[in-house]
Amino acid sequence: MAKSPGAFRSISEAAEEVGAPQHVLRFWETKFEFVTPVKRAGGRRFYRPQDVLVLKTVKRLLHDDGLTIRGVQRLHKEQGLKKLVGVEAAELIEDGPREQTPIPDATRRETSGLQRLLADLEQAKARLDAILAR
């Protein structure tokens, strides 16, 4: 029975779909911050459809286009992930299924602090705009 297009893939399924060995996929995880499969208990990796798409893009850039690892890293830094994979694929990355991960308390505190700071800055801007409008 075939998996649905939106189903998660194991590392062996992803490797077969991408056309690269499993150890290469694991290596790319260490070199490219944007290669982020979901990891379950015991370290098992599961790849979302957008993860497989990103891996295919990395393989194309490295093997077909002749870029180096550093070249792909630089390209990602300069253009972002959406530009790397293309416009149609960017929608899948943007709208695809995402696993909801719990937000650590420290991150939650930082976020609420940043939200308060943003509100203060918006109030200050409103006051400045009112003064300038006089």
Side-chain angles (χ1 to χ4, degrees):
M1 183 171 158
K3 286 189 173 185
S4 72
F8 283 43
R9 310 276 191 273
S10 68
I11 191 168
S12 60
E13 292 167 328
E16 184 176 326
E17 198 170 327
V18 171
Q22 295 177 28
H23 71 273
V24 171
L25 301 188
R26 288 189 292 269
F27 174 72
W28 287 346
E29 277 181 54
T30 66
K31 296 297 178 185
F32 305 113
E33 64 185 27
F34 53 90
V35 176
T36 55
V38 175
K39 289 189 182 175
R40 297 284 185 204
R44 287 197 51 165
R45 291 164 172 82
F46 289 96
Y47 295 84
R48 299 167 292 231
Q50 59 265 36
D51 295 326
V52 174
L53 182 64
V54 168
L55 290 168
K56 286 179 178 180
T57 301
V58 168
K59 181 177 186 241
R60 178 183 52 80
L61 291 170
L62 292 172
H63 295 258
D64 299 341
D65 296 353
L67 290 173
T68 62
I69 289 174
R70 192 160 280 172
V72 174
Q73 291 168 337
R74 187 175 304 120
L75 194 61
H76 172 256
K77 185 177 181 179
E78 292 171 358
Q79 296 185 3
L81 187 57
K82 290 179 186 178
K83 292 276 190 188
L84 284 182
V85 296
V87 175
E88 312 84 29
E91 292 175 8
L92 176 63
I93 289 172
E94 199 171 85
D95 301 330
R98 295 282 182 197
E99 178 177 293
Q100 295 296 321
T101 54
I103 299 172
D105 287 338
T107 304
R108 193 172 288 127
R109 283 191 301 275
E110 289 173 11
T111 302
S112 64
L114 289 172
Q115 288 171 337
R116 283 192 305 274
L117 178 61
L118 178 60
D120 291 345
L121 289 171
E122 288 172 342
Q123 289 174 355
K125 182 185 180 304
R127 288 192 303 267
L128 286 171
D129 288 343
I131 292 170
L132 293 172
R134 288 186 198 163

